[in-house]
Amino acid sequence: MFSLTLKSGDTDAGTWPITQTPLVIGREGGCDVMLSDPAVSRRHCQISMDGGVIHLQDLGSRNLVLVNSRHVAHCRLELGDEVRVGHSVFFVTRRGSSAGMVPSELQHCSTVTLAGDESMFLAPVPVENGRVSRGTFEDLHNLLAVSIGMSSITTREGVFAALGDSVGARFGDVDAWILLLSGKKESVFRLRGDREGAAPPANLMRMVLDERMGSLAPGEPDSGGWVMAAPILHGEHRVGALALVAGDGDGDREYGRDDLDFLVALAHISSPFFQAVDRLEELRAENLRLRGVGEGLKGLIGASPPMARLKKTIALVAPSDQTVLVFGETGTGKELVAGLLHGLSQRKDGPLVTVNCAAIPKDLFESELFGYEKGAFTGATAPKAGLMEESVGGTLFLDEIGDLSLDNQARILRAVEMKRFRRIGGNQEIQADFRLVAATNKDLVTEIARGTFREDLYHRLNAIQLAVPPLRNRRSDIPELARHFLSMCPAKGKKAPVFSPEAMEYLVHRHWPGNVRELRNVVSAGAALCLGTTIGADDLRAVCFNPGVGETGLTLAEIEKTHILRVYDVSNGNVVEAARRLGLGKSTLYNRLAEYGIKT
């Protein structure tokens, strides 16, 4: 009748008759087929004959039985079926087959599985009579060649090409595929072959990844061919799987253990190269990002320690979607920081919508931020999207949020927290996907203690905090800032204006309560009102209000007026002389003096 015949494994006997008495396979001493494999349970499974039908029953094993490469708990067996228990492989054969041999009529439907550490190329090579067989030597040469070739490859496509060439050199005209994992996503790529209608054995590739061992099995029933697959593993990390398919048109060659040995070794060798090229791609992307960050941060002038720390933090924070609260005195450049956070983020192609909370009247804030529907109030003749809605896909910048009234703080809290809101007069909730950046020149902790700022809103905004240093704490940046602002001023002649050493010393030692904004105004006014191309300390003092401790900055128009009147007085009311000193036309000076209420 029928027997169970061993093809490969760790037991001495080779064949066992299948009868009505269950044939028990396991590690326990009383089992009919005793295996020492630790992957096998004490009583793993049993095979018996009942009414001419062969049955396999799992006995509650830790690792189920594989029948023709599929896990089963109970099934009917047929002649030629392969049964794998742990690392041992058996076949159902006719009674009388030689022990340890698989009849030739069953060789074509034989399946071989192989763990990575079982490949002869990844373990000490068995040497007979001090010699390595020619086939083994050629395989080793092929594996060495592909390893050396891939060591200089820097792209994933290059690894694909090297693997395809190696498979072609070893197996000839076969179709080969590779499956790669990226998180939960899997992608399949063709390495070689152009057979029409050939499909990748995706299920087999997934199976060898799950089992962490290679497999050689018959192809589709009508194909007469073979399919092989091997997992690509990097430690516990699953990289992907390598597979090839050979149809009956590829000749009469029968594939066996030595072929699977090679494919498992090839997959194992390729693993670190995939890790390396993926890391190179990450480094290239990071390098490009940092170059972009570096270019973007050029707008933030200064190399002092406080500015270096600020730039580093911006570079780290910008790519995330975290809410950022920017602190800084008036004129320090909080809006510039917000612009950089947006420009260096993944939302840089979306809008940057700025809301000046101090400039919008209290009663209009809600309609400006959330928008309104037609008929929501008198004058609402058409629906209007609010600033929050306009910021979808980009960044919403709430400037001077410390000046927001408590009522309006309560209104934006839920919208900021849930990223949902309704237009005034509307019933539909709008989902708003934006990144939030807020800024203030106030100490919000103090404002919370005073009862003028909501603590819950503060904690919602304060996910990441950035402090922009005042100019007095970064005096070493003043020369670079001053020269930058001066380069933006229109030249009076062919020669660009410069600062005298005394002028630069004056700028560096000044208090600057208005910070960078005040410095920019002073430089612009000094360049516009100096008589020559060299800006002296006196020129700067002339355009500065109340130079000394406690000074405040003036607007450019106020500085210009102060300087014009001072030069007019020095010229003893002589309009022609004053115009010459100021570099203005007489008519222009007459008009300015008239604006100031000076009769000439």
Side-chain angles (χ1 to χ4, degrees):
M1 291 293 287
F2 298 101
S3 296
L4 185 70
T5 300
L6 175 72
K7 181 181 181 185
S8 62
D10 59 357
T11 187
D12 294 332
T15 186
W16 299 263
I18 300 175
T19 64
Q20 292 180 342
T21 303
L23 182 70
V24 180
I25 304 172
R27 282 192 296 116
E28 195 171 71
C31 292
D32 301 291
V33 181
M34 192 171 68
L35 305 174
S36 58
D37 186 350
V40 177
S41 299
R42 295 177 63 189
R43 292 173 59 85
H44 202 99
C45 64
Q46 66 181 29
I47 299 173
S48 60
M49 177 81 74
D50 183 15
V53 178
I54 306 172
H55 296 277
L56 181 146
Q57 178 68 52
D58 184 84
L59 299 177
S61 64
R62 186 178 63 229
N63 300 308
L64 292 176
V65 183
L66 279 171
V67 175
N68 298 328
S69 299
R70 296 188 179 184
H71 281 124
V72 298
H74 177 270
C75 72
R76 173 175 174 172
L77 296 178
E78 302 287 350
L79 178 66
D81 280 349
E82 175 198 87
V83 179
R84 182 183 178 102
V85 180
H87 292 89
S88 297
V89 180
F90 306 86
F91 283 91
V92 178
T93 62
R94 293 189 185 280
R95 186 82 59 87
S97 297
S98 300
M101 298 291 292
V102 178
S104 59
E105 69 267 19
L106 298 181
Q107 286 287 345
H108 186 71
C109 58
S110 166
T111 298
V112 179
T113 55
L114 192 68
D117 56 2
E118 294 176 339
S119 171
M120 66 177 293
F121 300 109
L122 303 177
V125 179
V127 179
E128 297 179 3
N129 300 323
R131 296 177 63 84
V132 177
S133 69
R134 179 173 179 81
T136 301
F137 178 82
E138 290 175 351
D139 282 346
L140 286 170
H141 177 77
N142 190 329
L143 292 171
L144 178 61
V146 71
S147 180
I148 293 173
M150 287 194 291
S151 66
S152 60
I153 290 172
T154 59
T155 64
R156 179 178 287 191
E157 290 73 19
V159 177
F160 288 171
L163 289 175
D165 291 342
S166 180
V167 167
R170 175 62 169 76
F171 296 102
D173 186 20
V174 295
D175 293 286
W177 286 270
I178 189 166
L179 178 147
L180 293 177
L181 299 179
S182 178
K184 295 183 178 180
K185 180 183 177 183
E186 62 180 39
S187 304
V188 178
F189 304 90
R190 191 166 194 155
L191 298 181
R192 64 175 293 109
D194 54 4
R195 190 178 321 187
E196 187 176 351
N203 288 334
L204 181 63
M205 288 193 280
R206 295 187 192 103
M207 187 195 81
V208 298
L209 263 177
D210 290 340
E211 299 294 328
R212 303 179 74 85
M213 58 178 62
S215 178
L216 164 65
E220 295 299 323
D222 298 332
S223 71
W226 291 80
V227 58
M228 269 190 289
I232 303 173
L233 306 169
H234 191 74
E236 294 301 315
H237 178 62
R238 303 190 310 162
V239 179
L242 189 61
L244 61 87
V245 176
D248 58 1
D250 296 313
D252 298 328
R253 176 181 175 184
E254 293 180 353
Y255 291 89
R257 164 69 186 254
D258 57 335
D259 300 296
L260 187 58
D261 265 318
F262 179 86
L263 192 67
V264 168
L266 182 62
H268 185 84
I269 286 172
S270 71
S271 170
F273 293 104
F274 279 109
Q275 298 291 300
V277 297
D278 286 349
R279 181 57 182 152
L280 278 173
E281 286 299 320
E282 291 174 4
L283 291 173
R284 289 189 190 104
E286 181 67 6
N287 188 34
L288 288 174
R289 187 187 74 80
L290 290 176
R291 285 185 181 181
V293 169
E295 288 297 317
L297 290 176
K298 284 183 178 179
L300 204 58
I301 297 170
S304 62
M307 289 304 292
R309 288 193 294 271
L310 178 61
K311 289 179 182 181
K312 182 178 180 180
T313 306
I314 290 173
L316 291 172
V317 169
S320 76
D321 248 5
Q322 285 278 8
T323 298
V324 180
L325 183 58
V326 184
F327 283 99
E329 297 178 4
T330 299
T332 51
K334 298 186 294 296
E335 189 169 357
L336 176 59
V337 169
L340 289 173
L341 289 170
H342 172 73
L344 299 174
S345 73
Q346 302 298 319
R347 298 174 176 268
K348 62 183 178 182
D349 295 326
L352 171 61
V353 178
T354 300
V355 181
N356 191 327
C357 300
I360 301 176
K362 175 182 176 181
D363 296 336
L364 297 181
F365 182 82
E366 187 178 12
S367 62
E368 285 294 313
L369 190 65
F370 301 130
Y372 50 82
E373 298 291 353
K374 180 180 179 180
F377 49 81
T378 304
T381 57
K384 178 181 179 295
L387 296 173
M388 186 172 285
E389 194 171 344
E390 290 178 3
S391 68
V392 169
T395 301
L396 178 65
F397 176 43
L398 299 178
D399 197 10
E400 304 299 349
I401 196 165
D403 294 322
L404 204 59
S405 69
L406 285 170
D407 288 342
N408 286 327
Q409 289 176 36
R411 291 187 176 102
I412 69 168
L413 177 61
R414 180 178 179 274
V416 167
E417 190 170 23
M418 306 299 296
K419 298 290 180 71
R420 291 177 185 158
F421 66 94
R422 292 178 182 174
R423 291 179 179 178
I424 297 176
N427 297 318
Q428 183 179 359
E429 277 203 336
I430 299 173
Q431 185 74 36
D433 173 29
F434 58 83
R435 196 250 185 103
L436 180 64
V437 177
T440 182
N441 61 359
K442 294 184 176 182
D443 182 350
L444 295 186
V445 175
T446 301
E447 297 301 316
I448 291 170
R450 292 174 178 169
T452 58
F453 200 85
R454 293 180 63 106
E455 185 174 3
D456 48 3
L457 179 58
Y458 171 76
H459 290 303
R460 174 55 55 186
L461 298 174
N462 197 35
I464 296 175
Q465 188 177 122
L466 289 181
V468 185
L471 193 54
R472 63 181 174 277
N473 290 350
R474 44 181 292 227
R475 294 186 184 277
S476 60
D477 294 331
I478 289 176
E480 185 181 1
L481 283 165
R483 284 190 288 267
H484 170 71
F485 293 140
L486 187 59
S487 69
M488 299 170 64
C489 299
K492 292 184 177 180
K494 294 182 179 180
K495 189 176 180 181
V498 295
F499 293 106
S500 70
E502 295 78 15
M504 188 60 74
E505 184 178 2
Y506 172 78
L507 292 176
V508 169
H509 290 93
R510 197 164 180 271
H511 184 60
W512 299 116
N515 292 293
V516 178
R517 183 183 298 145
E518 184 184 7
L519 174 64
R520 183 184 59 201
N521 286 344
V522 167
V523 170
S524 299
L529 302 178
C530 75
L531 300 179
T533 57
T534 299
I535 301 174
D538 289 340
D539 295 311
L540 297 175
R541 290 190 187 96
V543 296
C544 287
F545 175 78
N546 188 23
V549 178
E551 62 193 0
T552 58
L554 294 174
T555 65
L556 183 58
E558 291 171 330
I559 292 171
E560 182 183 70
K561 176 181 177 181
T562 300
H563 186 62
I564 288 175
L565 293 178
R566 186 172 297 168
V567 173
Y568 180 69
D569 288 340
V570 170
S571 302
N572 296 318
N574 187 323
V575 175
V576 175
E577 177 62 18
R580 184 189 67 79
R581 290 186 177 188
L582 291 168
L584 299 174
K586 287 189 297 181
S587 60
T588 301
L589 182 55
Y590 275 119
N591 291 336
R592 298 286 174 83
L593 292 172
E595 289 175 12
Y596 305 152
I598 305 298
K599 295 181 179 180
T600 56

